């Protein structure tokens, strides 16, 4: 059978046809039922993604699929539900899809041109923009960012986390609320990212902020200071570029690990593990037990050890820092100095000039040791090999002599003097060691979705 060379021959009303010999209507190159089925299925994909079919844009189906089916690790059930709903023809499953796509805590219905970077750009100390090519589904409404667009900013306070929302009216705005921006509700807005407004004030200079201009560590430039002054550029996150945990109070170090900007306080059940202006948990400033590990919001660890700080971090889907991660995250502090010689936990999480890292981490050295994840064998040849009941009745440790396995502590405390710095570590503390100068600065792995 000979088909017309022009594929548009035989279309009637924009549809394929089997033709009508009696009426001199030529048949389409392909059977009408099949061609119309394919067209309708593709259009349904666009509709499910909240897009308007455009004959001039032949990349819409790919955009729709990317926006809807970016994988969420470990959530195969949700992917199955989306696929099932998209394949259905009635309105109810389609409404379910649109409802799912507009969910606050999942990346469906959110796409950007560059999956290898965050969707936002810091444009000044107190302003950011959303990148061109970002597409967001908000309560069934498609918000397409055709050109880089300024985020509508709220009043900003130092040491505070902010959420970024896309709204059905097409605006993108920042707000201190992590439920909905002022004047909006969850029915007409969707959280798509956020940032931390740090303790380095806008307009701070290298000299004025006591950032190192000489020495063995980082030599600061004004551009380095500007990156963390006001909005911390390393704290920007979106639905597909974020830590695996709650991103509040964290900064991305070297594009690979999210690290708490502040030391963990005692009341982490309310404040999380990284918040400005809180106390600093230690062996003598007792942290609360996480709810996940038998806490009730009141009871504290009596003698917080390495294992206990591991539990605190794990309760928030975080972990202890590895030495190599600490070395990277603390880079930028003025090396070989400590805050003072007082033998007491530093009173609060705050900014002390000279102790801020390149990534905006405060009190990153010379204030308080942080327990690390690395371990080393330390053998006391004068002692006998034995079991030690040092875990609070939760199993015993088989050790070499007095110490056995030790855990690294990192950064230096306020009495360490010139020994503190970004590469400062100590390898003589056994994990049941309890003392005033060791606490927690937690970390989390990076999540980047296409």
């Amino acid at each position: 059978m000979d088909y017309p060379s022009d594929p548009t021959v035989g279309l009637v009303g924009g549809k394929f046809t089997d033709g009508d010999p009696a009426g001199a209507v030529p048949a389409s190159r392909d059977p009408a039922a099949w061609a119309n089925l394919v067209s309708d299925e593709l259009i349904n994909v666009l509709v499910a993604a909240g897009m308007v079919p455009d004959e001039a844009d032949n990349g819409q189906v790919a955009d729709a699929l990317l926006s809807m089916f970016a994988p969420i690790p470990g959530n195969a059930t949700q992917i199955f539900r989306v696929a099932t709903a998209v394949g259905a023809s009635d309105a109810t499953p389609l409404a379910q899809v649109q409802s799912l796509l507009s969910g606050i805590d999942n990346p469906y219905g959110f796409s950007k041109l560059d999956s290898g970077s965050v969707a936002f750009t810091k444009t000044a100390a107190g302003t950011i923009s959303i990148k061109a090519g970002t597409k967001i589904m908000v309560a069934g409404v498609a918000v397409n960012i055709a050109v880089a667009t300024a985020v509508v900013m709220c009043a900003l306070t130092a040491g505070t986390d902010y959420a970024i929302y896309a709204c059905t009216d097409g605006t993108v705005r920042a707000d201190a609320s992590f439920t909905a921006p002022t004047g909006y509700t969850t029915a007409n807005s969707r959280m798509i990212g956020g940032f931390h407004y740090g303790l380095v004030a806008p307009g701070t200079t290298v000299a004025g902020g006591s950032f190192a201009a000489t020495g063995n560590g980082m030599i600061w430039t004004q551009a380095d200071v500007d990156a963390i002054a006001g909005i911390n550029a390393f704290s920007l996150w979106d639905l597909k570029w974020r830590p695996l945990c709650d991103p509040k109070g964290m900064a991305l170090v070297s594009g690979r690990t999210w690290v708490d900007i502040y030391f963990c306080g005692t009341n982490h059940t309310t404040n999380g593990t990284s918040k400005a202006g809180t106390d600093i948990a230690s062996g003598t400033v007792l942290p609360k037990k996480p709810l996940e590990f038998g806490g009730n919001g009141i009871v504290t660890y009596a003698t917080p050890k390495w294992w206990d700080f591991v539990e605190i971090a794990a309760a928030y889907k975080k972990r202890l820092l590895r030495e190599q991660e600490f070395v990277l995250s603390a880079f930028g502090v003025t090396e070989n100095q400590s805050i003072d010689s007082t033998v007491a936990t530093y009173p609060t999480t705050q900014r002390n000039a000279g102790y801020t890292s390149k990534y905006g981490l405060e009190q990153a050295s010379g204030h308080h040791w942080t327990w690390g994840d690395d371990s080393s064998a330390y053998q006391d040849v004068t002692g006998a090999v034995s079991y030690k009941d040092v875990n609070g009745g939760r199993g015993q440790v088989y050790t070499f002599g007095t110490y056995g396995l030790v855990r690294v502590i990192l950064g230096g405390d306020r009495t360490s003097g010139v020994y503190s710095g970004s590469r400062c570590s100590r390898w003589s503390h056994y994990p049941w060691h309890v003392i005033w100068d060791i606490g927690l600065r937690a970390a989390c792995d990076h999540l980047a979705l296409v």
Side-chain angles (χ1 to χ4, degrees):
M1 180 177 180
D2 293 330
Y3 291 101
S5 59
D6 184 352
T8 64
V9 172
L11 295 183
V12 177
K15 296 285 189 177
F16 292 92
T17 176
D18 292 324
D20 181 4
V25 177
S28 305
R29 291 190 355 175
D30 299 299
W34 174 85
N36 289 328
L37 174 64
V38 172
S39 296
D40 289 342
E41 289 284 355
L42 293 174
I43 289 174
N44 284 339
V45 173
L46 303 184
V47 172
M51 300 170 65
V52 177
D54 181 357
E55 293 182 358
D57 186 351
N58 61 5
Q60 285 188 292
V61 173
D63 287 342
L65 293 175
L66 284 173
S67 70
M68 291 191 293
F69 298 117
I72 298 179
N75 204 346
T77 300
Q78 193 171 32
I79 294 173
F80 173 78
R81 288 175 179 166
V82 173
T84 301
V86 170
S89 58
D90 61 89
T92 300
L94 180 57
Q96 292 174 344
V97 172
Q98 291 174 332
S99 176
L100 177 60
L101 293 180
S102 62
I104 289 179
D105 294 325
N106 73 67
Y108 291 110
F110 179 84
S111 66
K112 51 188 180 178
L113 294 180
D114 180 14
S115 62
S117 66
V118 70
F120 309 103
T121 302
K122 178 179 177 179
T123 52
T127 59
I128 58 178
S129 65
I130 185 169
K131 294 179 180 177
T134 307
K135 301 178 181 180
I136 313 113
M137 281 295 299
V138 185
V141 176
V143 177
N144 296 327
I145 309 299
V147 297
T149 302
V151 173
V152 180
M153 304 300 291
C154 60
L156 301 174
T157 302
T160 305
D161 290 282
Y162 294 88
I164 300 173
Y165 295 89
C167 303
T168 53
D169 60 10
T171 61
V172 179
R173 55 186 64 240
D175 200 277
S177 169
F178 277 74
T179 301
T182 302
Y184 294 79
T185 68
T186 55
N188 57 17
S189 67
R190 180 187 181 192
M191 188 191 304
I192 59 171
F195 61 90
H196 185 77
Y197 193 81
L199 301 183
V200 179
T204 299
T205 63
V206 174
S210 298
F211 294 99
T214 60
N216 297 322
M218 176 178 172
I219 306 303
W220 287 73
T221 68
Q222 188 58 47
D224 296 321
V225 178
D226 292 342
I228 60 172
I231 295 171
N232 184 333
F234 301 103
S235 72
L236 288 166
W237 61 272
D238 66 42
L239 294 178
K240 296 183 178 180
W241 182 271
R242 55 170 296 160
L244 291 167
C245 63
D246 185 335
K248 296 187 189 72
M250 303 193 83
L252 180 60
V253 173
S254 294
R256 55 191 293 179
T257 307
W258 290 83
V259 180
D260 281 353
I261 293 171
Y262 309 102
F263 278 106
C264 180
T266 59
N267 193 20
H268 50 81
T269 54
T270 298
N271 298 324
T273 64
S274 177
K275 186 174 177 64
T278 68
D279 58 9
I280 299 175
S282 69
T284 53
V285 181
L286 307 180
K288 293 180 179 180
K289 288 185 177 181
L291 303 180
E292 182 178 346
F293 293 97
N296 58 7
I298 299 174
V299 64
T300 64
Y301 288 103
T303 53
K305 309 174 180 69
W306 178 87
W307 293 285
D308 301 318
F309 286 108
V310 168
E311 287 183 349
I312 294 172
Y316 302 95
K317 298 181 176 63
K318 299 182 181 182
R319 56 176 174 77
L320 304 187
L321 276 165
R322 304 181 184 102
E323 184 195 14
Q324 62 174 324
E325 294 169 334
F326 175 80
V327 168
L328 296 175
S329 62
F331 183 62
V333 299
T334 301
E335 307 286 359
N336 306 320
Q337 65 172 15
S338 298
I339 192 69
D340 60 43
S341 59
T342 305
V343 183
T345 301
Y346 205 76
T348 58
T349 53
Q350 58 184 271
R351 178 168 191 263
N352 299 105
Y355 298 91
T356 302
S357 83
K358 171 183 177 179
Y359 301 97
L361 275 59
E362 299 296 357
Q363 301 166 314
S365 67
H367 280 73
H368 202 61
W369 294 101
T370 181
W371 281 113
D373 188 58
D374 306 85
S375 60
S376 178
Y378 180 85
Q379 184 171 0
D380 178 4
V381 296
T382 63
V385 176
S386 64
Y387 282 102
K388 294 183 71 67
D389 184 8
V390 293
N391 287 328
R394 294 166 62 182
Q396 297 192 13
V397 176
Y398 190 65
T399 70
F400 292 97
T402 304
Y403 303 110
L405 196 65
V406 298
R407 307 292 189 204
V408 68
I409 56 175
L410 303 160
D413 66 22
R414 62 192 296 179
T415 71
S416 295
V418 298
Y419 298 109
S420 295
S422 64
R423 294 181 178 178
C424 175
S425 63
R426 187 170 179 177
W427 300 80
S428 61
H429 280 62
Y430 37 94
W432 56 91
H433 199 105
V434 178
I435 195 170
W436 66 270
D437 61 350
I438 313 178
L440 171 67
R441 188 187 297 272
C444 183
D445 293 332
H446 180 48
L447 174 67
L449 299 175
V450 295

